[in-house]
Amino acid sequence: MGMDHTPTGTDRTPVSADRTPTGADRTPLGTDRTPTRAENTPTAADHTPTDAHRTPTDAHRTPKLVGAVWGLLVLNTLGSAGAKTIVPLPRSLIQLVTMGALVAAFALALALNPRLRIRPSAFLFLLTLLLVESVISSAHLESGFGALFRCARLALFVGTLWLLSRWWDGGLTFVRHHIRAYFAVLGSVAAGLAVSPGAALPDLYGGRLVGALWPLTPPQIGQYAAVIIGLTALLVLGRRTDRTSAVVVIVPSLVLLGLTHTRTATLGLVIGLALAIGSLVLTSAAARRFFTWAVLCAAMAVVALGSVLQAWFLRGQSKENFSSLTGRAKVWDALLAAPRTSGEQAFGVGLGDKSFGGLPIDNSWLAVYNEQGLIGVALVAAVVIVLGGVALLRPPSLQRACAIFLISYCAIASYTEAGLGDASPYLLHLAVAASLLAAPASAMPVPAPDVPRRVPRRARRPEVA
């Protein structure tokens, strides 16, 4: 009506007191207020979303249950063979727990990602090709029906990683999940050591630390300790965690690593950290200081504790035994000298228990050659080369440094440990590296807020017909 559109004289000409409203009147709720000229011209922040809008934090992007899925994957890769535990656990029960963990991980990942939204990943694509090749090589049943069972396990493993790839955005979320999961495993090792030192340091393993509550071998414990030590140290350098939390993780892990006497894990930790920190030296003052102090401390330790370190490194072995890598070289020579058909050379004999002649192979490349042939070796090499190449092409960052550490550690450990061709902790390490190297998901741009336009008073008056 006319009275609604035509303001009265008092409305048109407010008194001076009304002309200067109070703070509460100056900012009324809703859209009743008439914006000022500055508000009519929105700033750049109104049209350009902030970094928080563009790339939400990991806590908002990734559901908390993803950490549970990752923990179940870690449980599945612990294996069922190892030292004797305080309470004897039947191997069938251990296998039931580990396989049940994998099935639960896949089901939970599917529940979190019911629309099957995945991100393109060269790493997962190559793993899928390796799975197909493993099925082809295992179909001949040269390794028995267990080969097909291991293929099904690898399929669930790779499928779960595909489902989780939706949340691979170049953040540190999966690094934290990785550290928490393996720190929990090391906690069980420490608990077993406290409850029964004799069972945790048996003579059968030369007094090296084993899992007394869950059957874990010294190389496994050394691997887990070295990986979380390296990742936590890098988080401290990048100021992504406080020093107190870092000390709680690093110090016990170093003690456990020392008790395992695992040379491969120690070398992988030292060389991997050197490469990772070296990638930050040009851009981080903290990395430069840490690198300098580490070199000085290492030099002083070699000079002052050279004989002790040598004795720890040799583990009481003879030079002949040390040069043959504790008998590994003999197994490797026998594997390479064994006659093979052209089909076995190309595709392998199918997934097995990573042994040859009843002895562990303890070399990822030869294990893959034995079970998945030269094609499998080429695919695994492509995985490492692709991840390493992407890491080198990325600009310096904490994520890149963590990825370099994980990739270099897996490459070093592959010489004396098997696992790159099957569901294993090493594939989980590389999966974390792939999540760190993934490009951040492009967020939807935040639309500019609707700015009410100022309507002249003449336009507000109703037209007279």
Side-chain angles (χ1 to χ4, degrees), residues 82-151:
K84 294 182 179 179
T85 56
I86 299 174
V87 178
L89 299 175
R91 187 174 181 182
S92 57
L93 175 62
I94 298 174
Q95 289 177 336
L96 179 63
V97 172
T98 54
M99 278 305 301
L102 179 58
V103 173
F106 180 80
L108 185 55
L110 188 60
L112 293 174
N113 190 5
R115 297 184 181 181
L116 304 182
R117 294 178 179 176
I118 60 176
R119 293 200 63 186
S121 171
F123 167 73
L124 292 178
F125 176 72
L126 291 171
L127 283 189
T128 305
L129 292 181
L130 183 64
L131 169 63
V132 173
E133 198 278 338
S134 300
V135 173
I136 295 174
S137 63
S138 301
H140 299 288
L141 299 180
E142 293 187 37
S143 299
F145 286 99
L148 295 179
F149 175 80
R150 293 183 178 92
C151 287

Side-chain angles (χ1 to χ4, degrees), residues 225-292:
V227 167
I228 68 173
I229 289 170
L231 291 177
T232 305
L234 291 173
L235 290 181
V236 172
L237 284 180
R239 298 179 180 178
R240 298 301 180 91
T241 187
D242 59 278
R243 295 185 180 181
T244 303
S245 301
V247 169
V248 170
V249 173
I250 292 177
V251 173
S253 301
L254 276 174
V255 173
L256 297 181
L257 175 60
L259 292 176
T260 61
H261 285 254
T262 307
R263 296 175 293 219
T264 301
T266 305
L267 287 176
L269 171 63
V270 173
I271 298 175
L273 264 183
L275 294 174
I277 296 174
S279 68
L280 294 172
V281 165
L282 297 178
T283 58
S284 172
R288 288 192 292 271
R289 289 193 299 268
F290 184 88
F291 188 81
T292 303

Side-chain angles (χ1 to χ4, degrees), residues 326-349:
T326 320
R328 291 184 178 95
K330 297 178 182 179
V331 180
W332 299 347
D333 293 339
L335 188 151
L336 293 174
R340 293 176 182 271
T341 64
S342 57
E344 291 174 344
Q345 284 186 342
F347 295 97
V349 298

Side-chain angles (χ1 to χ4, degrees), residues 307-324:
S307 58
V308 176
L309 293 175
Q310 183 179 4
W312 181 89
F313 202 76
L314 289 176
R315 294 196 313 236
Q317 296 175 338
S318 63
K319 292 184 178 179
E320 181 181 358
N321 196 15
F322 177 75
S323 61
S324 65

Side-chain angles (χ1 to χ4, degrees), residues 12 17 75 92 122 125 134 159 161 180 207 255 274 293 296 303 409 421 435:
R12 246 187 266 120
L75 176 59
S92 57
F125 176 72
S134 300
L161 292 181
R180 293 189 189 107
V255 173
W293 280 106
L296 291 176
V303 173
Y409 181 89
S435 73

